[in-house]
Amino acid sequence: MKNVAQHDVEKQIAELREQIEKHNYAYYVLDQPSISDAEYDELMRKLMELEEQYPQYKTPDSPSQRVGGAPLEAFRKVTHRVPMLSLSNAFNEGDLRDFDRRVRQEVGDVRYVCELKIDGLAVSLRYEDGYFVQGATRGDGTTGEDITENLKTIRSLPLRLRQQVTIEVRGEAYMPRKSFEKLNEKRKMNGEELFANPRNAAAGSLRQLDPKVAASRQLDIFAYHVVNAEELGILSHSAALNYLDELGFKTNPARQVCETIDDVLSYIEQWHERRASLPYDIDGIVIKVDAFAQQKQLGATAKSPRWAIAYKFPAEEVVT
Ligand SMILES: NC(=O)c1cnc(N)c2cc(Br)sc12
């Protein structure tokens, strides 16, 4: 039987967690801060103080777990239940029209979903009954590294979903350009080797054994694929992305459904021009057949799905 004081502490911790998670979602998923950093830090300090005093109320999904625990000795290996395939590439309009022709020959009329190809690190996230239980790198597509503790420090990664669902999600962890520039400035001041680009910086941060390093690197993540979507009764990729939004994930808002390859080509042109205005690096556009029934008809090779293609932007001429 809990006494009144214990009951009050439990209630106080629950309220703090709810407030922190609400502000965390607004700031890191919606990019719409709802309180100042100082107020947010004060709430977190209070929560961590109470959890120190009453560890029986500290749970793995507590927002206090985002600051990073003790360093690991090594990363455990994780075997992906469903291999993480890579995308075949298209480099010009002809490649895209060939893709479209082949798809239409096999499945008839089709609509595509176009998305920005984020220049980061592909990761797989497993949730059980709504709780984040494991995150892993792609590795060789079949076996990756368990980087759960590091991924927990990414503020836009939900530790607990808005529905109690068991789901596997793929996404791209990345470092926003501003964080990259600040990090390299700091490394330059300390005489450390600089990261060549945000992708290397994100990969380097997530492969640190000390989660506190990852927590200091202001990483972010876009979710872009539901592995067990059909099991969850979802019929298309666009519906899967909307479902990820409902669950509390951060998805990329620039996605667009395209009815024709000409629409795809104008989406590509639009984002090739607007690329520099984005706060993160992209290296192309991902085009996917939307309907899962048609994806299944098209299937996959050992390496890549036949229902998707990545258009790579031409390498930029380096202005010397
Ligand atoms: N939206 C997407 O599907 C997406 C975005 N960015 C990426 N780097 C990748 C990689 C694969 Br494989 S899919 C994908």
Side-chain angles (χ1 to χ4, degrees):
M1 181 66 180
K2 286 179 191 129
N3 59 41
V4 173
Q6 260 197 326
H7 182 74
D8 282 352
V9 165
E10 193 173 6
K11 192 161 168 289
Q12 211 186 338
I13 285 181
E15 276 164 11
L16 273 171
R17 283 176 49 153
E18 194 182 328
Q19 276 191 58
I20 291 170
E21 278 156 11
K22 185 186 69 175
H23 295 308
N24 188 75
Y25 180 78
Y27 191 109
Y28 293 101
V29 178
L30 302 182
D31 291 335
Q32 293 160 7
S34 44
I35 54 170
S36 72
D37 291 6
E39 289 166 306
Y40 181 89
D41 294 346
E42 179 50 20
L43 290 173
M44 185 66 91
R45 191 196 58 74
K46 270 192 210 147
L47 173 65
M48 291 174 77
E49 195 176 83
L50 283 170
E51 286 182 345
E52 272 317 297
Q53 251 178 300
Y54 305 92
Q56 68 270 35
Y57 296 131
K58 185 152 77 169
T59 60
D61 66 309
S62 169
S64 63
Q65 300 309 296
R66 290 190 183 283
V67 297
L72 300 175
E73 289 298 311
F75 291 118
R76 285 204 302 262
K77 292 294 177 203
V78 170
T79 302
H80 301 299
R81 298 180 199 175
V82 175
M84 291 180 73
L85 300 181
S86 49
L87 294 170
S88 42
N89 291 324
F91 296 98
N92 52 53
E93 181 174 336
D95 293 344
L96 290 165
R97 290 191 182 279
D98 291 347
F99 170 74
D100 179 52
R101 198 174 304 114
R102 174 171 60 74
V103 164
R104 288 179 188 278
Q105 261 162 5
E106 292 188 33
V107 300
D109 200 18
V110 67
R111 53 188 236 164
Y112 298 111
V113 180
C114 289
E115 299 169 79
L116 304 182
K117 189 169 183 296
I118 313 301
D119 199 4
L121 190 77
V123 291
S124 192
L125 311 172
R126 277 196 320 103
Y127 289 77
E128 285 171 5
D129 297 328
Y131 289 90
F132 179 52
V133 295
Q134 186 177 63
T137 62
R138 178 181 180 282
D140 63 6
T142 305
T143 308
E145 289 179 323
D146 186 324
I147 54 168
T148 306
E149 293 313 309
N150 286 343
L151 288 169
K152 277 183 170 180
T153 69
I154 299 180
R155 298 294 194 277
S156 54
L157 182 144
L159 298 176
R160 184 175 165 202
L161 302 178
R162 302 188 154 189
Q163 294 172 28
Q164 270 198 302
V165 66
T166 294
I167 188 171
E168 180 161 350
V169 171
R170 304 273 160 85
E172 198 83 3
Y174 67 95
M175 186 180 288
R177 212 178 287 126
K178 278 222 178 340
S179 309
F180 168 70
E181 283 154 10
K182 270 196 296 189
L183 172 64
N184 261 355
E185 258 162 52
K186 211 165 69 177
R187 291 172 76 90
K188 193 170 180 185
M189 302 273 281
N190 301 341
E192 292 172 273
E193 192 186 348
L194 305 188
F195 285 109
N197 53 52
R199 178 171 47 77
N200 289 6
S205 305
L206 285 170
R207 288 227 282 283
Q208 288 287 328
L209 289 167
D210 181 357
K212 286 193 171 38
V213 174
S216 73
R217 296 287 174 82
Q218 293 160 334
L219 296 169
D220 207 332
I221 188 165
F222 284 119
Y224 56 61
H225 179 66
V226 177
V227 176
N228 56 325
E230 290 186 82
E231 181 190 302
L232 296 165
I234 303 167
L235 300 177
S236 69
H237 178 60
S238 46
L241 291 171
N242 296 338
Y243 182 58
L244 288 172
D245 287 334
E246 283 168 35
L247 292 178
F249 286 99
K250 181 173 191 171
T251 64
N252 192 284
R255 60 185 184 262
Q256 187 177 309
V257 172
C258 293
E259 306 290 345
T260 68
I261 196 67
D262 289 318
D263 290 350
V264 169
L265 288 163
S266 50
Y267 177 93
I268 288 173
E269 193 183 332
Q270 177 196 155
W271 284 105
H272 194 196
E273 280 159 20
R274 292 173 61 182
R275 183 182 188 184
S277 68
L278 291 165
Y280 45 81
D281 282 359
I282 60 171
D283 59 348
I285 301 295
V286 178
I287 301 109
K288 300 175 187 172
V289 166
D290 192 24
F292 286 152
Q294 294 180 319
Q295 289 188 7
K296 194 175 260 177
Q297 273 182 272
L298 290 158
T301 67
K303 232 167 50 62
S304 313
R306 297 180 72 248
W307 42 265
I309 198 160
Y311 172 77
K312 304 280 279 189
F313 290 139
E316 288 181 334
E317 301 75 44
V318 179
V319 181
T320 47

